[in-house]
Amino acid sequence: MNTELFIAKRIFSIKELGRLSRPAVRVAILSIILSISIMIVSMAIVTGFQKEIREKVIGFGSHIQISRFDSNSSPETEPIDKNQTFYNTFQSAEGIKHIQVFATKAGIIKTDDQMEGIILKGVGSDYDWSFLEDKIVEGNILQIKDSLRSKDIIISKIIANRLKLKLGDSVRMYFIGKEQAQPKGRKLHITGIYETGLSEYDKLFVIADIAQIQSLNKWKPNQIGGFEILIDNYNDLEKVSEYVYKNIPYDLNSKNIKQKDPQIFDWLSLMDMNVLIILILMVIVATINIISTFLILILERTSMIGLLKAMGTRNNSIRKVFLYTSMYLVFKGLLWGNIIALLFCLIQKYFGIITLPQESYYLTEVPIHLSFLHIFLLNAGTILICFLMLLIPSYIISKITPVKAIRFS
């Protein structure tokens, strides 16, 4: 029989708690409930926000892009041959999910009374529509065939609203080449309208058949702007990027999405610091409260400590009694805190009760990403820190002498 645990259970019984320790115990449990709940919810929201924004950025630009090696920062690059030796190799390489062709060209959409600068992104029949398909608010995705040049395009809701365009309209676009004195015009048909919430991309990109860009640039059918690579796991981005770079010709260059849009990913990384500050503050609050309760319990049970010592009980055994009692408070608080946090996260995830202004946050509702590894680490870390912090005040017990303790009672 575990004597220390038996005594600890008797101490923690509400009936056995003193007038001073009873409210302190309730406050300690409440503080732990609030701390772990806030930590889990904060982690779920921040990781959810990072995941949603990252997926939107990758949806436009893929994980890795391969293009001509030059210092030109323009969206228009020199053409490369589609028939590269690495094309089939990458299709079956470990970690690579898909490879597709693309090309971009800057242009202007003009209506009767307005005009808007855009980037026409040309895609082929091998394009993975899984991202944009979910973002189509009107119409359909493009049906692209290698044997036929399509005049259909997909524009964003922002562009449609600015230029007062709607599904089914025909629009005139103008493009200027490097060696052209006069702009080239194309009349294209709006077959879909998308909305991702990333205004920096939505106000620029128009999706079209890559054959349109090949025609405008006077490229051959086998000439493209570059390749886009999608990978299986974002966490393998650096490893796959290194593999791709080593296996492409010397005149080609590859950039991953972090290198292409560093400002966005730096911004997302800053959120980790915010979460870290919240975690530290919540752990401090929880530990201060549990230590205070621990000391109150010792103060109230001074006579019991003296009596146990007089009966020959060792200091370590008495310390265990109070450590068991305090850790029981921690576990009870963690249990209810986890239940409350998970209920909130699941309700928000599936019902979206808390909304956001999309123009400011790029999302229409607070995102939630639950990771059981994060939840486990938060709980394990809280338990470990609370236990280690309780070891220090527990040494007070060794300073209590039986004579003074019994006389104090």
Side-chain angles (χ1 to χ4, degrees):
M1 180 180 176
N2 191 330
T3 307
E4 294 90 350
L5 184 59
F6 174 77
I7 298 173
K9 287 179 180 179
R10 294 284 296 175
I11 292 176
F12 188 72
S13 173
I14 294 296
K15 293 179 181 179
E16 298 293 330
L17 290 175
R19 184 169 52 86
L20 184 62
S21 61
R22 195 172 298 168
V25 164
R26 292 194 176 106
V27 170
I29 294 174
L30 182 61
S31 69
I32 294 170
I33 290 172
L34 290 175
S35 296
I36 194 65
S37 297
I38 292 171
M39 286 192 287
I40 292 174
V41 171
S42 299
M43 184 68 76
I45 290 174
V46 170
T47 54
F49 188 82
Q50 291 174 326
K51 182 174 180 289
E52 290 290 329
I53 299 300
R54 187 173 65 230
E55 286 180 354
K56 288 186 177 186
V57 175
I58 291 170
F60 271 108
S62 72
H63 291 94
I64 304 168
Q65 282 190 359
I66 301 172
S67 58
R68 177 71 67 181
F69 205 125
D70 58 35
S71 58
N72 184 13
S73 59
S74 167
E76 300 186 39
T77 59
E78 293 296 322
I80 62 177
D81 194 337
K82 178 181 177 180
N83 302 314
Q84 298 286 338
T85 54
F86 62 76
Y87 187 78
N88 292 327
T89 305
F90 287 171
Q91 290 279 17
S92 57
E94 183 181 356
I96 294 179
K97 179 182 177 182
H98 183 65
I99 182 169
Q100 59 199 22
V101 300
F102 81 100
T104 53
K105 189 170 182 65
I108 294 172
I109 298 180
K110 188 178 183 304
T111 60
D112 293 337
D113 56 348
Q114 295 186 67
M115 62 175 60
E116 190 82 21
I118 56 93
I119 294 176
L120 189 69
K121 180 175 180 178
V123 299
S125 58
D126 59 352
Y127 187 71
D128 184 352
W129 291 99
S130 56
F131 169 75
L132 270 180
E133 198 168 21
D134 293 336
K135 305 298 182 290
I136 297 290
V137 293
E138 291 184 63
N140 301 291
I141 60 174
L142 302 180
Q143 301 298 323
I144 298 175
K145 299 179 181 178
D146 293 333
S147 58
L148 183 65
R149 188 169 70 200
S150 173
K151 292 187 177 182
D152 294 337
I153 58 171
I154 301 176
I155 66 172
S156 70
K157 189 175 180 179
I158 290 179
I159 296 175
N161 291 338
R162 284 183 177 181
L163 301 180
K164 299 176 182 178
L165 298 170
K166 60 183 184 298
L167 190 68
D169 285 353
S170 293
V171 294
R172 178 69 66 171
M173 293 189 184
Y174 294 92
F175 306 89
I176 298 178
K178 292 182 179 179
E179 300 177 356
Q180 297 171 354
Q182 296 295 326
K184 284 186 177 182
R186 287 288 188 277
K187 188 176 181 180
L188 302 172
H189 178 74
I190 300 173
T191 191
I193 298 175
Y194 73 87
E195 182 182 29
T196 67
L198 287 176
S199 56
E200 286 79 1
Y201 291 87
D202 286 8
K203 66 185 180 182
L204 279 180
F205 282 95
V206 173
I207 313 299
D209 187 346
I210 193 172
Q212 290 290 345
I213 296 179
Q214 290 170 333
S215 173
L216 288 164
N217 291 339
K218 297 181 179 179
W219 290 352
K220 297 176 182 178
N222 65 311
Q223 289 183 310
I224 58 172
F227 296 91
E228 291 182 333
I229 295 176
L230 301 174
I231 66 176
D232 293 317
N233 191 340
Y234 176 78
N235 295 327
D236 296 330
L237 181 63
E238 299 298 335
K239 182 176 71 175
V240 178
S241 297
E242 185 178 355
Y243 168 79
V244 169
Y245 186 79
K246 288 181 178 179
N247 288 275
I248 57 176
Y250 71 92
D251 59 335
L252 299 183
N253 187 29
S254 69
K255 285 186 177 181
N256 62 43
I257 194 66
K258 285 184 177 180
Q259 295 167 329
K260 286 183 77 279
D261 297 297
Q263 67 282 358
I264 292 179
F265 286 88
D266 289 343
W267 169 56
L268 293 177
S269 297
L270 286 175
M271 295 182 183
D272 294 333
M273 181 59 67
N274 297 335
V275 174
L276 182 60
I277 293 171
I278 292 173
L279 297 183
I280 292 172
L281 290 175
M282 291 300 101
V283 169
I284 290 173
V285 169
T287 52
I288 288 175
N289 278 280
I290 199 66
I291 290 173
S292 300
T293 304
F294 183 85
L295 294 174
I296 290 170
L297 287 171
I298 291 176
L299 180 64
E300 269 196 346
R301 299 287 171 171
T302 302
S303 58
M304 185 193 79
I305 294 171
L307 184 59
L308 288 172
K309 284 193 173 186
M311 294 171 63
T313 308
R314 295 182 178 180
N315 285 326
N316 283 340
S317 293
I318 300 173
R319 286 173 62 201
K320 283 182 181 180
V321 170
F322 288 92
L323 286 173
Y324 280 140
T325 305
S326 299
M327 292 310 295
Y328 179 80
L329 300 180
V330 173
F331 279 107
K332 189 172 183 179
L334 290 177
L335 175 63
W336 284 106
N338 278 267
I339 292 172
I340 292 170
L342 289 174
L343 279 175
F344 173 82
C345 289
L346 291 173
I347 290 171
Q348 177 61 30
K349 183 179 179 68
Y350 292 106
F351 298 100
I353 56 174
I354 302 177
T355 59
L356 296 172
Q358 186 168 260
E359 59 275 8
S360 300
Y361 294 95
Y362 310 120
L363 298 169
T364 56
E365 59 188 44
V366 173
I368 296 292
H369 175 65
L370 285 172
S371 169
F372 289 104
L373 176 61
H374 291 163
I375 295 172
F376 171 77
L377 291 175
L378 287 174
N379 281 274
T382 303
I383 292 169
L384 179 61
I385 292 171
C386 286
F387 177 76
L388 293 176
M389 294 299 290
L390 287 170
L391 288 176
I392 300 171
S394 70
Y395 279 101
I396 294 174
I397 293 169
S398 63
K399 303 296 182 181
I400 298 174
T401 58
V403 175
K404 290 183 179 179
I406 294 172
R407 186 183 300 169
F408 175 75
S409 62

